[in-house]
Amino acid sequence: MSLVLQMRSERAKLNTQLQALAQLEAGGAALSAEQLAEFADLEAKITDLSAKISRAEAAERMAAASAVPVSESAAGNNSPPANISGPFNEPTKPGLAMAQMVRLLAQAKGNQQQAAELAKSGGYGADVHMALSTVTPGAGGVLVPTNFSGSMIESLRPKSVVRRMGAISLPLNNGNLTLPRVIGNTSVTYIGTETDIPLSDMQFGDLKLAAKKAAAIVPISNDLLAYAGVNPRVDAQVSADLSTSMALSEDLHFIRGSGVAPLPKGLRYWAPAGHIIPQPAGVTLADIDTFLGGLMLRLEVANVDLSSCGWLMHPRTVRWLQSLRDGNGNKAYPEIDAGQLKGYPFALTTQIPTNLGAGGDESEIYFVNFSDCYIGEDENLEIAISTEAAYKDGGGNMVSAFQRDQTLIRVISKHDFGPRHAESIAVGTAVTWGDGM
């Protein structure tokens, strides 16, 4: 384990002790003189460790920036191989570093030391080599450095519809995050002369996010991984496969997760009962417009800020709406061609089912204030590599990675999802529009 990671681990333990003392006092108990002294000591140690971590991180960045190619003078060559596009100390392009790290670990069959040597001898960026030299072993895998994890999260944003629509990402400190929220506002009234001012209290609540483990398995052809040297096209393919698999898993649970352990609670189950509206029986344009307007109205009467609102739908639903015509043959919702519905942007995802309901033909449509939705996420990702394991494909069939000549990359992340105000979500259910298209 690197010095930085050791100090971070030590700081987290100290913070846990400090938080335990703070919780005692928050619960109404008076801290003793010894506990107060312990609190002050913990606070000083955490402050000191934070300063040391900052200096150590700065030193690591300087080491990466000043790294030089490995000497190959025995072979009469003191420069990187000819097939490498840039020098060893050149920083890796954002979005590709994670893919290169994964590809090297796969080539080394999960051996991080061997992967680090491959990075150094193969002319990869110094940041990739240093990351592989300092990663921490996990449960059968390795923990991805924070900066690489951040790069991975950035590549997730355009692929996950919940993230793309504006959900706010926040770090989970020690696996938990509590966000205060106002659930009842004060009221102001006019009063007469010499009349007592009525009492009005604000009511508060909390949104508590706790880390929940999400995992995705990405099968990648060994022929693809076997390419030697730095190949941007191969790295981009690996990065795309990783981010797409993680994004699909996130959307599935952020939209429809039940909230029953170990799953996060998704939009469908955060929505208040009064904000869940079934599709009307009629399919006239007036019926449809009233239904969509009713979803919007639920947020409006709850005084939700509509500036960051948007729709989530299955492609079947939006294509049916796109095909609607009024009595004159004009498109009922021409703005769909520009990516909007009734003045608000929409995103399509097949993670919203179309086989719900007793008939197995129903879907859902969501209208949400995404700026009120929060993704609490652990900054660490864990990856593991296997060439022998089996996995289930999209049809539920077991596939042998060994038989298919594939390498399986398992990515594990920890996060949770929730809105500050559940009233920011409205869900249209029993949507059969487009069934049979």
Side-chain angles (χ1 to χ4, degrees):
M1 182 183 295
S2 71
L3 177 61
V4 171
L5 291 175
Q6 287 177 351
M7 289 191 293
R8 285 178 180 166
S9 178
E10 184 180 351
R11 182 176 61 178
K13 292 177 182 177
L14 293 174
N15 184 58
T16 300
Q17 298 174 35
L18 185 142
Q19 294 300 326
L21 292 173
Q23 288 297 323
L24 287 176
E25 192 168 38
L31 297 182
S32 65
E34 291 80 6
Q35 289 173 321
L36 288 171
E38 182 184 0
F39 188 97
D41 182 55
L42 288 169
E43 187 177 19
K45 287 181 178 178
I46 291 172
T47 301
D48 183 54
L49 269 174
S50 296
K52 288 182 179 178
I53 290 171
S54 296
R55 291 193 293 271
E57 288 175 336
E60 285 189 356
R61 288 194 297 270
M62 293 303 295
S66 59
V68 295
V70 62
S71 175
E72 298 181 4
S73 57
N77 180 11
N78 291 307
S79 61
N83 66 319
I84 303 305
S85 58
F88 174 65
N89 63 350
E90 183 177 301
T92 309
K93 291 183 179 179
L96 297 184
M98 172 76 172
Q100 290 182 359
M101 178 180 174
V102 168
R103 186 151 66 92
L104 288 164
L105 279 168
Q107 287 177 312
K109 296 180 171 57
N111 186 317
Q112 65 194 70
Q113 286 80 19
Q114 184 180 348
E117 288 304 313
L118 286 173
K120 192 171 185 179
S121 62
Y124 288 78
D127 51 349
V128 177
H129 170 257
M130 190 174 76
L132 287 165
S133 300
T134 59
V135 290
T136 306
V142 296
L143 296 179
V144 178
T146 302
N147 58 326
F148 280 25
S149 299
S151 173
M152 188 65 192
I153 297 302
E154 286 303 314
S155 65
L156 268 177
R157 295 190 188 281
K159 296 181 181 293
S160 164
V161 296
V162 174
R163 290 179 184 270
R164 176 160 34 101
M165 291 297 285
I168 298 172
S169 175
L170 297 172
L172 287 179
N173 297 318
N174 297 319
N176 293 279
L177 178 66
T178 299
L179 292 171
R181 58 193 177 110
V182 177
I183 58 177
N185 293 324
T186 57
S187 59
V188 178
T189 59
Y190 290 94
I191 59 175
T193 305
E194 297 183 358
T195 303
D196 292 339
I197 300 174
L199 184 64
S200 179
D201 291 330
M202 293 188 76
Q203 299 175 12
F204 296 90
D206 290 324
L207 168 63
K208 295 184 179 180
L209 303 178
K212 296 174 176 64
K213 183 162 67 174
I217 290 181
V218 185
I220 297 179
S221 166
N222 286 334
D223 290 335
L224 185 66
L225 292 172
Y227 282 100
V230 180
N231 190 313
R233 288 175 294 177
V234 174
D235 292 329
Q237 181 64 50
V238 174
S239 179
D241 285 347
L242 285 169
S243 56
T244 298
S245 295
M246 292 182 67
L248 289 173
S249 176
E250 279 193 0
D251 282 343
L252 178 65
H253 297 99
F254 291 170
I255 295 172
R256 301 199 83 256
S258 66
V260 177
L263 302 177
K265 185 188 289 189
L267 294 168
R268 173 63 179 82
Y269 297 99
W270 274 110
H275 286 219
I276 300 174
I277 312 170
Q279 174 193 304
V283 290
T284 67
L285 188 54
D287 293 329
I288 295 161
D289 211 44
T290 300
F291 174 59
L292 295 175
L295 293 173
M296 300 168 65
L297 181 63
R298 295 305 188 276
L299 272 63
E300 290 170 331
V301 298
N303 295 318
V304 172
D305 179 9
L306 300 186
S307 61
S308 299
C309 286
W311 305 88
L312 294 182
M313 293 173 280
H314 188 278
R316 184 188 80 176
T317 303
V318 77
R319 295 307 159 217
W320 187 84
L321 289 171
Q322 190 178 34
S323 69
L324 283 181
R325 297 292 188 272
D326 62 19
N328 297 319
N330 300 313
K331 288 186 176 182
Y333 299 105
E335 71 269 28
I336 285 180
D337 295 337
Q340 293 199 330
L341 175 63
K342 295 184 75 68
Y344 292 93
F346 65 82
L348 305 181
T349 174
T350 55
Q351 298 304 75
I352 297 176
T354 55
N355 59 353
L356 302 172
D361 59 351
E362 297 177 0
S363 187
E364 294 168 338
I365 183 170
Y366 293 75
F367 186 68
V368 181
N369 174 22
F370 287 97
S371 67
D372 215 15
C373 296
Y374 291 87
I375 302 171
E377 51 195 348
D378 193 310
E379 293 184 351
N380 291 318
L381 296 177
E382 182 180 320
I383 58 175
I385 311 291
S386 176
T387 56
E388 292 82 26
Y391 64 97
K392 288 184 179 180
D393 63 14
N397 304 307
M398 290 300 298
V399 179
S400 166
F402 181 80
Q403 190 173 14
R404 287 279 181 91
D405 191 26
Q406 293 176 332
T407 292
L408 298 184
I409 300 171
R410 187 190 68 195
V411 185
I412 293 178
S413 63
K414 295 179 181 179
H415 48 236
D416 200 5
F417 175 83
R420 285 192 69 182
H421 302 94
E423 295 79 9
S424 294
I425 305 165
V427 185
T429 60
V431 176
T432 56
W433 302 336
D435 181 44
M437 285 185 70

